[in-house]
Amino acid sequence: MAYYKDLREYLAVLEANGKLVRVRRPINKDTQLSPLVRLQYRGLPEEKRRAFLFENVVNSRGHKYDIPVAIGVLAGSADIYSIGMQCQPREVAERLAQAQANPIPPRVVGSGPVQEEVHLGNSLLEHGGLGEFPVPVATPSFDPAPYITAPYWVTRDPESGITNVGMYRAMIKSPVRTGLNFSGPGKGGAIHLRKYRQRDTPMPAAIVVGGPPNLGYVAVSPLPPDTDELAVAGGIAGEPLELVKCKTVDLCVPAHAEVVIEGEVDPRLLEPEAPFGESYGFVGPMDMNPFLDVKCITHRRKPIWLATISQYPPSESTKMRQLAYQGTMLRHLRQVLKLSYVLDVAYYEEASSGRMMALKLSKVTQDDVWYTLEAAAKRAPYTKIIIAVDEDVNVHDLGTVCLAIAMRTQPCRDYRIESLTAPSLGDYSLEPLDRLQERQAEGGDMPQASRLLINAVMKWPYPPVSLPGKEFMEEAMRIWREENLPEVKLNEPWFGTNLGFWNDEHERHARAAVEGDHYRAGSDYEGRRRSI
């Protein structure tokens, strides 16, 4: 099938696949919406999570919106994400890698549905500005305002002309002003803003809300700063993304988005922003950040507001980052560095999808292990723990990775601690927060941060994995299904494998045991008695 032209086509496919819940009762966006969606992340297995479409949204003052809110539709689960990528979950990393390797530049068209309504000048405030939209409060009890949680910020490098698309949260501060939190100085938008500061000119910017899902996937992917994310989005779709020119700033935006907020960022000014419930599991404190002065808002006649569920992991935010980070790291190691022995990469939602990574390696020397760990560390400067494991370990199952660490490492030999050039954002383990904020306000050096590299690859042959062999587990599954027992989702490893420390005698005795000749081993052992 052709790729989704807009959010609406995508929602229809989610619903057809049983992945969308429509909520028609009145839901308060300030107090009920996010908590309701949050429940599935605290009480359901991932495969049962759904996207939500709230069709009757009100606020705490009794105002009723005629705009529905969609949430969880980009990455409510790996299944939902893969529908957005039009592939199977196991194919997501390769699909992202191919899109990066084969980008398709966007195409500018004369008009598009995102500009069916245009509000600027007096019309902007007459329609309420940002207040026209049912922007949810993400963390009731702690957030000071609604935040745009699925904003695709479009900016352009004033030197190269390359467009960047990044998902940076936007606090609603007035009908015509939003916050702007880049979540790190290395983000494309932050790099652009520094260049505009050097020129002492405002930075044009546009916030895109809604659109086909490929926009969201590239917006959160850690692509190199000189990458045109709009072209990578085209690579995902297999066709150019259609753009229209903005009305008040010199940028182009997706023609089939739901809403576009145009404006300028003064690179010389900062103001307080946050607190905000973060995806790393804590409420992020107030900080000094840039802001957007809104000049114009365009949208479809009956738009859909798109939001994401973030905060405590797991969440939609951590799922998006997990899958995007895995794909970009795997491509970097296998295609850029040509490390063909790297079989798989895993990030963990339990660790906020950015703080811990595991690499599955095949038949490597110990020098290869350490080279690969260092290469991954260089590509992921904020990741605090990086683990290398053997090919028999399922890197997507944190339990099996923990078992490899416990049984295949000696800390004195296999752990290395190295300095991080910059601490991870939101790493509250560095020092007390009040002191950390003082350092930032004074422009002083940040406290020392570090990372841990773990070589959990076997250094010599091990006995087999202690599970029944594959043929016996397959037979067990056949009987299980015939007995109509509850459906099981097998985790790797689900059958035993030979890891090298296993001789012909062991094999002969094990085969005799399953053939009913279980006295054979005892008989053989009897002849090898010795006295003590």
Side-chain angles (χ1 to χ4, degrees), residues 153-291:
W153 285 83
V154 178
T155 59
R156 188 172 60 239
D157 190 310
E159 297 173 356
S160 68
I162 294 175
T163 297
N164 178 263
V165 182
M167 190 181 288
Y168 319 124
R169 72 171 190 241
M171 177 181 175
I172 302 296
K173 296 188 169 185
S174 87
V176 290
R177 190 168 97 260
T178 79
L180 169 52
N181 186 303
F182 287 118
S183 73
K187 302 293 186 178
I191 294 171
H192 293 179
L193 187 61
R194 289 196 293 273
K195 292 182 177 182
Y196 279 97
R197 186 177 298 126
Q198 292 169 357
R199 287 166 167 72
D200 197 24
T201 58
M203 180 178 75
I207 299 175
V208 178
V209 179
N214 55 345
L215 275 173
Y217 301 149
V218 299
V220 300
S221 295
L223 303 174
D226 58 351
T227 301
D228 184 346
E229 279 92 352
L230 295 173
V232 177
I236 293 173
E239 59 186 28
L241 188 65
E242 291 186 349
L243 307 179
V244 291
K245 293 182 178 180
C246 286
K247 296 295 184 179
T248 60
V249 294
D250 187 19
L251 293 169
C252 291
V253 292
H256 294 270
E258 297 293 320
V259 179
V260 169
I261 302 162
E262 303 176 9
E264 291 182 341
V265 180
D266 188 329
R268 302 164 300 179
L269 296 178
L270 303 174
E271 68 180 30
E273 184 259 0
F276 180 73
E278 296 282 11
S279 63
Y280 44 75
F282 300 97
V283 173
M286 183 186 296
D287 200 358
M288 298 296 289
N289 282 308
F291 55 90

Side-chain angles (χ1 to χ4, degrees), residues 179-449:
L180 169 52
N181 186 303
F182 287 118
S183 73
K187 302 293 186 178
I191 294 171
H192 293 179
L193 187 61
R194 289 196 293 273
K195 292 182 177 182
Y196 279 97
R197 186 177 298 126
Q198 292 169 357
R199 287 166 167 72
D200 197 24
T201 58
M203 180 178 75
I207 299 175
V208 178
V209 179
N214 55 345
L215 275 173
Y217 301 149
V218 299
V220 300
S221 295
L223 303 174
D226 58 351
T227 301
D228 184 346
E229 279 92 352
L230 295 173
V232 177
I236 293 173
E239 59 186 28
L241 188 65
E242 291 186 349
L243 307 179
V244 291
K245 293 182 178 180
C246 286
K247 296 295 184 179
T248 60
V249 294
D250 187 19
L251 293 169
C252 291
V253 292
H256 294 270
E258 297 293 320
V259 179
V260 169
I261 302 162
E262 303 176 9
E264 291 182 341
V265 180
D266 188 329
R268 302 164 300 179
L269 296 178
L270 303 174
E271 68 180 30
E273 184 259 0
F276 180 73
E278 296 282 11
S279 63
Y280 44 75
F282 300 97
V283 173
M286 183 186 296
D287 200 358
M288 298 296 289
N289 282 308
F291 55 90
L292 176 78
D293 285 318
V294 178
K295 306 296 183 186
C296 175
I297 297 176
T298 72
H299 60 79
R300 289 175 177 245
R301 287 195 181 90
K302 293 186 177 295
I304 299 170
W305 187 262
L306 180 66
T308 60
I309 189 82
S310 189
Q311 292 74 57
Y312 196 90
S315 69
E316 184 180 11
S317 174
T318 54
K319 179 56 66 178
M320 273 194 291
R321 287 207 310 276
Q322 178 193 47
L323 297 175
Y325 287 15
Q326 288 171 177
T328 53
M329 179 59 74
L330 187 62
R331 176 180 183 271
H332 177 73
L333 296 175
R334 287 180 62 88
Q335 297 181 17
V336 177
L337 299 185
K338 309 298 183 185
L339 305 180
S340 59
Y341 54 77
V342 179
L343 302 181
D344 206 352
V345 175
Y347 280 87
Y348 301 100
E349 285 194 89
E350 295 89 341
S352 190
S353 295
R355 312 305 169 97
M356 188 164 80
M357 176 202 322
L359 311 169
K360 179 189 284 198
L361 310 182
S362 170
K363 298 179 177 64
V364 290
T365 67
Q366 293 302 302
D367 286 343
D368 289 334
V369 175
W370 288 112
Y371 175 80
T372 308
L373 285 168
E374 294 286 355
K378 186 176 181 180
R379 184 72 174 83
Y382 298 109
T383 301
K384 292 172 65 175
I385 303 172
I386 306 178
I387 309 149
V389 298
D390 296 286
E391 60 184 303
D392 69 295
V393 177
N394 176 12
V395 290
H396 299 287
D397 181 350
L398 189 55
T400 63
V401 174
C402 289
L403 184 62
I405 293 171
M407 302 304 297
R408 305 185 188 191
T409 71
Q410 287 295 319
C412 61
R413 178 193 63 211
D414 301 320
Y415 292 16
R416 291 184 185 175
I417 297 175
E418 61 179 26
S419 296
L420 275 174
T421 54
S424 300
L425 222 70
D427 189 349
Y428 302 147
S429 66
L430 289 166
E431 64 180 6
L433 281 183
D434 51 0
R435 176 60 189 136
L436 200 59
Q437 291 175 323
E438 287 175 10
R439 284 180 185 267
Q440 293 171 331
E442 297 166 357
D445 293 334
M446 294 296 288
Q448 180 62 60

Side-chain angles (χ1 to χ4, degrees), residues 11-144:
L11 288 173
V13 173
L14 288 179
E15 187 165 33
N17 281 273
K19 297 295 184 181
L20 182 70
V21 175
R22 290 179 180 268
V23 180
R24 295 183 170 90
R25 64 183 293 170
I27 293 293
N28 187 328
K29 75 173 186 69
D30 299 324
T31 62
Q32 297 176 325
L33 192 151
S34 292
L36 184 65
V37 181
R38 169 59 56 191
L39 288 176
Q40 69 175 348
Y41 291 92
R42 304 313 306 157
L44 285 179
E46 182 181 334
E47 61 270 18
K48 292 188 177 181
R49 295 178 198 151
R50 299 291 183 266
F52 284 76
L53 183 64
F54 294 93
E55 299 180 332
N56 188 355
V57 182
V58 300
N59 68 13
S60 290
R61 295 187 172 184
H63 177 73
K64 185 181 185 305
Y65 297 87
D66 60 358
I67 298 172
V69 175
I71 188 167
V73 305
L74 293 175
S77 67
D79 287 341
I80 291 172
Y81 191 107
S82 63
I83 291 173
M85 292 290 290
Q86 292 188 343
C87 66
Q88 295 299 312
R90 65 181 179 276
E91 299 168 340
V92 165
E94 181 60 27
R95 186 72 183 269
L96 283 169
Q98 289 302 316
Q100 293 172 60
N102 302 282
I104 299 176
R107 178 176 64 239
V108 178
V109 296
S111 63
V114 74
Q115 293 179 342
E116 288 173 343
E117 289 198 22
V118 178
H119 305 307
L120 51 80
N122 292 335
S123 171
L124 179 59
L125 288 176
E126 287 171 0
H127 283 80
L130 296 168
E132 180 181 1
F133 306 103
V135 186
V137 174
T139 324
S141 295
F142 300 104
D143 291 354

